[in-house]
Amino acid sequence: MADFLYPRPQLVRKHWQSLNGAWKFSFDNDKKYRFPLDSAQWTTEIQVPFAPESKASGIEDRGFHTICWYQREFDILAENGRVLLHFGAVDYLARVWVNEHQVTEHEGGHTSFCADITSALNTSGRQTVTVRVEDDPLDLAKPRGKQDWQLEPHSIWYPRTTGIWQTVWLEQVASTYIQKLRWTPFFDGFEIGCEAFVVGDIEEDLTVEVKIWHGEKMLADDHYKVIGNEAHRKIALSDPGIDDSRNDLLWSPERPTLLDAEVTLWHKNHVLDHVRSYTALRSVAINRDRFMLNGRPYPLRLVLDQGYWPDTLLTAPSDAAFKKDVELAKEMGFNGVRKHQKIEDPRYLYWADKLGLLVWEEMPSAYRFTPKAITRMVREWGEVIDRDYSHPCIIVWVPFNESWGVPNLISTQAHRNAVEALYHLTRTLDPTRPVIGNDGWEASATDILGIHDYDCDPDRLQARYGGSGETQDLFDRRRPGGRILTLDGYPHRGQPIILTEFGGIAYEKFPTPGIQQIWGYSKVSGDQDFLGLYQKLMHVVNNSSMFSGFCYTQFADTFQEANGLLCADRTPKIALAQIRSATCNLDPLP
C-alpha cells in the first residue's frame, strides 16, 4: 500500500499522513465492548486498509462477524490550525475515538467521512485512534452490493467486506480552510462552474483565487469574494469556435484533456489554504434515441466491472492496480465501464479521468424493501453523488439494478415510488447527467432504457435486436427472467436503448485459487470457442441500429463467476488485440 497516492485527487494538499499499515485488531462477536477502555484484549494485527476477509489483511477470516475493533497509535506535529482524520470507506457503521474521545460516527459502507480531531489530541506524546465497526452479515436491508449473506459465496455473490477497506489518513489545515470544491462543465457556453465551500473560523474579507491551466497555457486567474461561507462562479473560457480547435480543450475517452486548477483561500493578504485540483470541459446528454458526448452521438462500448481482486477483495492491491484496470479496459476496445454494485475508490476515478474511460456509477443494492432500507440508501446515495460529482469520467448514475431491493415493482406502488423518487432525487442533485432509475427491466422513470439479456445464441439475439429498429414488438413481449421491460404507464418514449448486460461467457482459462466450481451464463472450453462466440455476439450488438451502446459481462473473473475476458489476476484469456478487434467490430466474421 506504500504506493497509494493522495486519497482525494480533486482536492490535494501538501500536508497529509497515511495511517495505512499495521493496526491492532479484534473481533467482538458477543458484542461485549462498547468503549475503547473496555477493549483491552487485542487478539491479532491487521494490515489496513484490507478487510479481515482478505488474504492481504493477514487475517483471511470469512466467517460471520458482527463487530470488530481497530486501534493504532500515531504522531502528529503540533501546529496552529486543525487536524482532520479521514476514512475512505468503512463497512458498515463506524464509531471513532481519538485518545478516548469520540470524534465521529458514520453509517454507510461505501462513502468517505472525516472528523476534526483537533480538540481530542494530546498536547504531547503519542495519539491513539480506535474504531468500532458494526456490520451485520445477515442484514439484507442495508446497501451491500455483491456481498454474500450466505457463509460461502454462491452464484453472482462474493465474499463479504467488513470494516476499513479504503485509506485512513490525516491532514493538517488552517483554522479556516476549503472543505469542498465542486466543478461543473457548461459545454454550450464554454464555461467551467466553480463552487468553493469554506469552513472553520470564518473571517470577513475572505476571497478565493482560482487559476486554471490547459497544459502550460493559463486559461483563468480570478478572485471571488466568499459570501456565506461559499463562492460560486462560472468561469468563461475563450471559445476557439471551429471544432478542430475546440477539441483541444474537450475531454473524451479518445482525448482525455484535463484542466489543472489551483484554488487559494485568502484573508486580505494572508494565504489560509491552498489546494490543487483539476476539471474538464465536456458534456453528456440524451438526444432522442442517442447518447451524446460533447454534442455528438457517441456509441457506448462498456464492460461490466465488479471491482474485486483475489487477495484484496474490494480494495485494490495498489494504485498501480487501478491504473492497470483502466488501461486494460481501453486495450480491449471499451470506452467505458459500468462499475457494478460498487462505489469505486476516488483513485480509480482519477485514472479514468486521466486516461479517458467513461464510468457508470451504480448504487450497491439492499435486498429487502423496508423504510429503513430506503432511508439508508437515500442517505448514502446522496453522499456518493456529492463526493464524485466533479469527476468528468462519470456519465450516468444508476440508483437501482434489476429491481433488487424493490422486487414487486409490477404490483406494489411503494416499490415504484422508491425508484421514481430516487430517479428524481438524483436528477435534482445532479441535473447534468442522465439517470437510469432501474437498470435491466421493469423501467419507469429513466433517461436510458437498459436491457439485460444473457441469451448467448447470436442468431436469437440477431432476430430480437438486429432488425430495422422497430421497437414496439420488443416492448410488447416478455424478456429475460420473465420480466417486462417497462412498467404500465411508462411506455418507451424514444429514450436510447442500451444492452447493459449480455454475454457472460464462462471460460476458466486459469483457475482462481480456492474456487472448486465455476459459474456462468454459458460455458465454452477452448480459446477458439471463446473468441468465436465473443466475435459473433459483438457483431450482433455493434450492428444493431436499435442500440445506442452495450455493456458486456464482464471485465475479469470474480471468484466463482468465470465470465471475465480476463482471469481474476488480470491475465487475458486470449490476446488483447483479438478482444479489441471483436469489441470494436473491426474484423469480418469467419
Side-chain angles (χ1 to χ4, degrees):
M1 292 297 294
D3 70 336
F4 263 79
L5 303 180
Y6 193 91
R8 189 187 52 208
Q10 285 192 294
L11 203 163
V12 178
R13 293 187 178 93
K14 287 183 179 180
H15 301 296
W16 73 286
Q17 175 185 341
S18 173
L19 294 185
N20 290 344
W23 289 55
K24 296 176 184 178
F25 181 81
S26 182
F27 289 117
D28 182 12
N29 297 326
D30 297 327
K31 302 182 182 180
K32 184 177 179 181
Y33 304 112
R34 294 183 58 83
F35 302 101
L37 286 175
D38 296 332
S39 188
Q41 300 300 316
W42 297 98
T43 59
T44 188
E45 187 175 88
I46 190 170
Q47 292 295 319
V48 167
F50 302 113
E53 290 88 353
S54 71
K55 182 178 180 180
S57 72
I59 297 177
E60 199 174 8
D61 185 333
R62 296 182 180 175
F64 286 153
H65 301 288
T66 303
I67 307 287
C68 60
W69 288 83
Y70 296 78
Q71 190 176 88
R72 71 158 287 169
E73 294 181 336
F74 63 93
D75 293 308
I76 192 79
L77 294 176
E79 296 183 358
N80 293 330
R82 301 173 185 269
V83 177
L84 308 180
L85 174 60
H86 296 271
F87 292 83
V90 181
D91 198 353
Y92 171 73
L93 174 63
R95 188 171 298 146
V96 183
W97 293 263
V98 172
N99 300 326
E100 301 168 15
H101 300 282
Q102 185 172 333
V103 294
T104 192
E105 182 175 300
H106 180 263
E107 182 178 356
H110 309 92
T111 51
S112 57
F113 61 98
C114 170
D116 183 339
I117 64 171
T118 310
S119 61
L121 294 175
N122 297 325
T123 55
S124 63
R126 306 212 77 188
Q127 320 288 342
T128 302
V129 55
T130 307
V131 183
R132 179 186 188 270
V133 180
E134 185 172 347
D135 186 24
D136 184 350
L138 302 179
D139 186 353
L140 298 185
K142 68 182 178 187
R144 60 188 295 148
K146 286 297 193 84
Q147 299 182 55
D148 209 326
W149 52 92
Q150 297 184 16
L151 187 60
E152 297 296 330
H154 75 291
S155 184
I156 57 171
W157 285 276
Y158 315 132
R160 287 167 295 283
T161 294
T162 299
I164 298 171
W165 66 277
Q166 289 184 22
T167 292
V168 184
W169 53 292
L170 295 166
E171 183 175 39
Q172 292 179 277
V173 297
S175 296
T176 307
Y177 62 98
I178 299 167
Q179 183 186 49
K180 182 175 68 173
L181 290 176
R182 182 176 161 107
W183 300 101
T184 305
F186 294 96
F187 172 78
D188 291 341
F190 241 61
E191 298 169 317
I192 296 290
C194 177
E195 299 170 86
F197 300 86
V198 177
V199 297
D201 302 329
I202 303 301
E203 306 273 1
E204 294 292 331
D205 300 320
L206 291 178
T207 59
V208 290
E209 179 184 16
V210 181
K211 295 181 179 180
I212 299 177
W213 290 269
H214 174 216
E216 299 296 320
K217 182 180 180 182
M218 181 171 284
L219 302 180
D221 184 359
D222 299 333
H223 284 77
Y224 309 122
K225 185 173 178 59
V226 175
I227 300 174
N229 301 9
E230 301 173 5
H232 301 261
R233 291 293 186 277
K234 282 185 179 180
I235 301 170
L237 307 180
S238 178
D239 187 344
I242 192 166
D243 281 352
D244 286 351
S245 298
R246 270 185 156 211
N247 290 339
D248 287 340
L249 277 179
L250 299 181
W251 186 95
S252 69
E254 295 72 27
R255 201 172 196 167
T257 300
L258 295 181
L259 306 178
D260 295 318
E262 290 184 1
V263 181
T264 306
L265 177 64
W266 293 84
H267 178 232
K268 298 180 180 178
N269 295 321
H270 178 60
V271 174
L272 299 179
D273 196 9
H274 177 80
V275 299
R276 290 184 291 111
S277 186
Y278 67 85
T279 183
L281 188 62
R282 69 102 183 88
S283 70
V284 292
I286 301 301
N287 188 341
R288 289 178 285 185
D289 66 343
R290 296 294 117 177
F291 174 84
M292 309 288 284
L293 179 68
N294 296 333
R296 300 286 187 270
Y298 190 87
L300 295 171
R301 299 189 306 274
L302 310 179
V303 64
L304 191 80
D305 185 356
Q306 311 279 5
Y308 277 79
W309 287 264
D311 294 337
T312 59
L313 305 185
L314 284 175
T315 310
S318 66
D319 195 67
F322 283 137
K323 182 182 180 185
K324 181 180 179 181
D325 275 11
V326 172
E327 291 172 337
L328 284 169
K330 290 176 70 74
E331 286 184 58
M332 291 190 292
F334 298 101
N335 53 30
V337 295
R338 177 177 164 219
K339 277 290 179 178
H340 189 40
Q341 291 296 294
K342 180 186 181 184
I343 304 303
E344 194 51 274
D345 190 297
R347 291 298 311 175
Y348 178 93
L349 299 178
Y350 164 77
W351 285 114
D353 291 337
K354 178 79 173 175
L355 301 177
L357 189 69
L358 306 174
V359 176
W360 287 30
E361 191 145 307
E362 176 184 318
M363 182 63 193
S365 296
Y367 295 98
R368 291 185 61 212
F369 182 85
T370 68
K372 186 175 185 179
I374 296 300
T375 299
R376 287 167 159 178
M377 182 177 175
V378 168
R379 179 180 58 246
E380 194 166 356
W381 186 232
E383 292 179 359
V384 168
I385 296 170
D386 183 59
R387 190 197 75 174
D388 294 342
Y389 173 92
S390 297
H391 285 281
C393 66
I394 296 177
I395 60 165
V396 171
W397 301 112
V398 185
F400 286 96
N401 173 71
E402 290 188 347
S403 308
W404 290 349
V406 282
N408 300 325
L409 285 173
I410 293 177
S411 59
T412 305
Q413 186 62 46
H415 291 207
R416 292 192 184 200
N417 292 343
V419 173
E420 293 163 29
L422 264 293
Y423 166 84
H424 289 292
L425 174 65
T426 307
R427 291 287 291 164
T428 300
L429 296 176
D430 180 7
T432 72
R433 292 177 173 94
V435 177
I436 298 181
N438 179 40
D439 192 32
W441 47 62
E442 297 173 349
S444 55
T446 193
D447 298 320
I448 295 171
L449 194 79
I451 299 175
H452 296 182
D453 191 337
Y454 281 107
D455 189 335
C456 277
D457 185 322
D459 293 334
R460 287 199 294 264
L461 286 183
Q462 174 67 29
R464 196 172 297 148
Y465 305 114
S468 62
E470 295 295 327
T471 60
Q472 190 56 49
D473 186 52
L474 178 69
F475 294 104
D476 286 344
R477 291 182 289 135
R478 290 187 177 272
R479 290 271 63 81
R483 307 283 188 143
I484 59 174
L485 286 182
T486 59
L487 297 176
D488 290 345
Y490 289 91
H492 180 233
R493 307 186 315 278
Q495 306 105 308
I497 301 172
I498 297 179
L499 193 60
T500 47
E501 286 189 30
F502 78 106
I505 307 169
Y507 174 31
E508 190 180 29
K509 181 67 176 285
F510 302 111
T512 301
I515 302 301
Q516 304 301 319
Q517 186 173 3
I518 70 168
W519 186 94
Y521 294 94
S522 66
K523 295 182 181 180
V524 296
S525 57
D527 286 8
Q528 289 306 309
D529 291 340
F530 184 60
L531 175 60
L533 182 52
Y534 184 70
Q535 286 176 325
K536 291 174 182 178
L537 291 174
M538 282 296 171
H539 182 76
V540 172
V541 298
N542 271 296
N543 288 286
S544 170
S545 61
M546 182 182 298
F547 295 142
S548 187
F550 60 79
C551 180
Y552 180 81
T553 302
Q554 60 188 11
F555 176 73
D557 288 355
T558 310
F559 299 96
Q560 72 279 0
E561 192 174 353
N563 294 326
L565 295 168
L566 311 173
C567 299
D569 65 359
R570 280 38 175 184
T571 300
K573 294 185 177 179
I574 55 177
L576 291 175
Q578 291 178 307
I579 298 174
R580 180 181 183 84
S581 292
T583 301
C584 299
N585 204 32
L586 300 179
D587 298 327
L589 290 177

